[in-house]
Amino acid sequence: MKTFLHERKIDQIIIPTGMTTYLQTLDIAINKPFKDNLRMEINDYIENRMERNQHRNFVKPKLQEVVTWVKNSWEKITDSCIANAPRAGYLDKKYSFKDSAIAKHERFGPLILKEMESQEIHQEIQKLDCYNDVPEDDDMIVIE
């Protein structure tokens, strides 16, 4: 597989454990709220309307009931949920990275923010006038 991808100039990346949901925007902004809404519909059915047959076993819900759950769950996904999807995964660069779901990740968020801060400091140092006074190639000889 690696050869196949390399021949086609496709880079392969490894997503660290626990980061997939932070990098998949639809999971963050749309799928999770949809699934949460669907779970509420199912729980309501189980607690209030689930039927038993003559042997006291639960009867599976009718197809129309399941369709209604999906419809109700999807209708609760607002236009703003969908519009904010790029921001959730930090695909919309108009917003600060610090507001993204990735930056708020319990384990990796602080590490990423620290690395970004380090890079910003390094870039600022390079912009300073005094930094340009240091010759890149000097003929200094260190004698021990």
Side-chain angles (χ1 to χ4, degrees), residues 138-144:
D138 59 12
D139 293 333
M140 185 186 302
I141 298 172
V142 178
I143 300 173
E144 294 183 30

Side-chain angles (χ1 to χ4, degrees), residues 119-133:
Q119 287 177 8
E120 288 171 8
I121 290 170
H122 182 70
Q123 288 171 354
E124 289 301 315
I125 290 172
Q126 286 182 338
K127 290 178 188 176
L128 296 174
D129 289 336
C130 64
Y131 187 78
N132 294 331
D133 292 344

Side-chain angles (χ1 to χ4, degrees), residues 31-46 65-74 76-77:
N31 294 350
K32 176 151 183 2
F34 173 78
K35 288 177 183 178
D36 290 346
N37 293 334
L38 186 58
R39 172 57 51 200
M40 287 173 28
E41 291 283 336
I42 292 168
N43 287 343
D44 179 60
Y45 172 79
I46 290 170
E65 180 83 28
V66 175
V67 169
T68 301
W69 300 341
V70 172
K71 177 183 171 285
N72 291 344
S73 300
W74 180 249
K76 291 176 186 172
I77 302 299

Side-chain angles (χ1 to χ4, degrees), residues 3-141:
T3 304
F4 175 84
L5 295 172
H6 180 70
E7 288 170 354
R8 287 155 182 81
K9 297 181 181 176
I10 299 172
D11 292 330
Q12 194 174 323
I13 63 167
I14 305 297
I15 297 174
T17 304
M19 288 298 292
T20 306
T21 55
Y22 291 88
L23 299 172
Q24 295 179 333
T25 301
L26 292 177
D27 279 348
I28 299 168
I30 300 170
N31 294 350
K32 176 151 183 2
F34 173 78
K35 288 177 183 178
D36 290 346
N37 293 334
L38 186 58
R39 172 57 51 200
M40 287 173 28
E41 291 283 336
I42 292 168
N43 287 343
D44 179 60
Y45 172 79
I46 290 170
E47 293 170 8
N48 300 312
R49 297 184 314 280
M50 187 173 242
E51 299 172 3
R52 292 182 181 261
N53 64 17
Q54 63 202 26
H55 301 288
R56 303 293 302 150
N57 296 324
F58 289 113
V59 177
K60 70 178 183 177
K62 294 183 171 111
L63 178 60
Q64 187 55 46
E65 180 83 28
V66 175
V67 169
T68 301
W69 300 341
V70 172
K71 177 183 171 285
N72 291 344
S73 300
W74 180 249
E75 286 176 348
K76 291 176 186 172
I77 302 299
T78 64
D79 290 345
S80 67
C81 252
I82 294 168
N84 288 327
R87 181 179 180 189
Y90 193 59
L91 298 177
D92 188 343
K93 306 299 186 227
K94 292 186 289 189
Y95 299 98
S96 168
F97 178 79
K98 292 175 183 175
D99 294 332
S100 72
I102 299 168
K104 293 175 184 169
H105 186 272
E106 183 178 316
R107 185 167 150 216
F108 293 109
L111 296 173
I112 294 168
L113 289 168
K114 184 177 177 182
E115 178 62 26
M116 288 177 72
E117 182 179 319
S118 173
Q119 287 177 8
E120 288 171 8
I121 290 170
H122 182 70
Q123 288 171 354
E124 289 301 315
I125 290 172
Q126 286 182 338
K127 290 178 188 176
L128 296 174
D129 289 336
C130 64
Y131 187 78
N132 294 331
D133 292 344
V134 179
E136 289 295 321
D137 289 330
D138 59 12
D139 293 333
M140 185 186 302
I141 298 172

